[in-house]
Amino acid sequence: SARTEMQAALLSGEHRVRDSIEYLPEVADREGDLRRLIATFNGDRHVRAALLNTRGQSVAQSILSTPLHPTPDWFFSLLGVRPTASLIPIGRNVAAEAAIALATDPHNEVSEVWTEFRDGMVIVLVFCVLSFALIYWTAGRSLRPLETLSAGFRTIGTGDYATRVAESGPPEVEDLARAFNLMAERLGALQERNER
């Protein structure tokens, strides 16, 4: 998507320059008009324009807008979006300058992608932490009756058959607790009979 955005921005810049050059012979102050054309690219997020003389030196150059969020170098390298350039000749009989050079700068677009990626990762991380906390709480709450049941078995192991556990929790654990209480009751009755 970043490459597509760069291509679209370069194509749009080329159309703007070509349209302006087409009307250049009708303008009295051609050099001033060319400089104003370059200035229209000031603050552009994707394309930098430069007015070149016949020796290929930059006479006027636009200033790109700076990215709002700096992108880590590793992320920029990972995306691999490379700048592209275009050279549009003006015509010798129209102006003293030879051409207008347009070059894309993907830093703003990659910065936007980085922000979306970073925000997405934060959302995923928050979701994972909340899910883990919910699972931990639910599992702890579900297993609490099993701890009570386990303590009941330890007490019965010492010979105390009067122990009973609360019949609560998920249906399976509730069935286990009910069976435990029935077992404890029968063991208590057997012990009482044996003692008699």
Side-chain angles (χ1 to χ4, degrees):
S1 70
R3 278 190 208 96
T4 303
E5 185 74 24
M6 291 299 99
Q7 289 170 350
L10 186 62
L11 198 61
S12 172
E14 286 175 354
H15 285 302
R16 190 173 3 158
V17 169
R18 281 186 169 65
D19 287 347
S20 295
I21 289 175
E22 188 178 318
Y23 294 105
L24 199 59
E26 301 169 10
V27 177
D29 181 18
R30 293 177 183 155
E31 185 180 341
D33 200 50
L34 286 171
R35 287 181 184 271
R36 280 189 291 280
L37 173 62
I38 298 300
T40 62
F41 284 90
N42 283 340
D44 193 295
R45 294 180 60 240
H46 304 307
V47 178
R48 175 183 290 124
L51 183 60
L52 306 178
N53 62 18
T54 52
R55 292 187 301 276
Q57 299 168 327
S58 177
V59 177
Q61 188 170 340
S62 67
I63 300 164
L64 281 170
S65 70
T66 54
L68 295 174
H69 307 286
T71 307
D73 293 336
W74 65 266
F75 189 78
F76 192 83
S77 299
L78 182 70
L79 288 187
V81 181
R82 301 283 171 245
T84 54
S86 176
L87 190 67
I88 302 165
I90 296 171
R92 297 191 191 282
N93 58 342
V94 177
E97 285 73 15
I100 292 178
L102 298 178
T104 60
D105 187 327
H107 282 89
N108 272 300
E109 189 63 28
V110 172
S111 171
E112 196 174 292
V113 172
W114 165 250
T115 302
E116 290 172 11
F117 173 76
R118 184 194 63 205
D119 293 349
M121 287 297 103
V122 166
I123 290 168
V124 167
L125 181 65
V126 167
F127 176 76
C128 287
V129 167
L130 289 176
S131 296
F132 178 75
L134 183 64
I135 290 168
Y136 182 78
W137 178 78
T138 305
R141 188 176 161 105
S142 298
L143 296 177
R144 198 168 299 123
L146 288 178
E147 291 172 7
T148 307
L149 201 57
S150 178
F153 276 117
R154 280 194 298 275
T155 306
I156 286 218
T158 63
D160 180 8
Y161 301 123
T163 301
R164 300 292 182 269
V165 293
E167 296 176 11
S168 63
E172 297 82 5
V173 176
E174 197 175 319
D175 289 344
L176 277 174
R178 196 174 298 114
F180 175 86
N181 289 337
L182 184 61
M183 177 194 70
E185 186 180 317
R186 287 185 181 166
L187 284 173
L190 279 173
Q191 183 185 23
E192 196 177 305
R193 198 170 344 150
N194 284 342
E195 286 173 359
R196 262 200 318 271

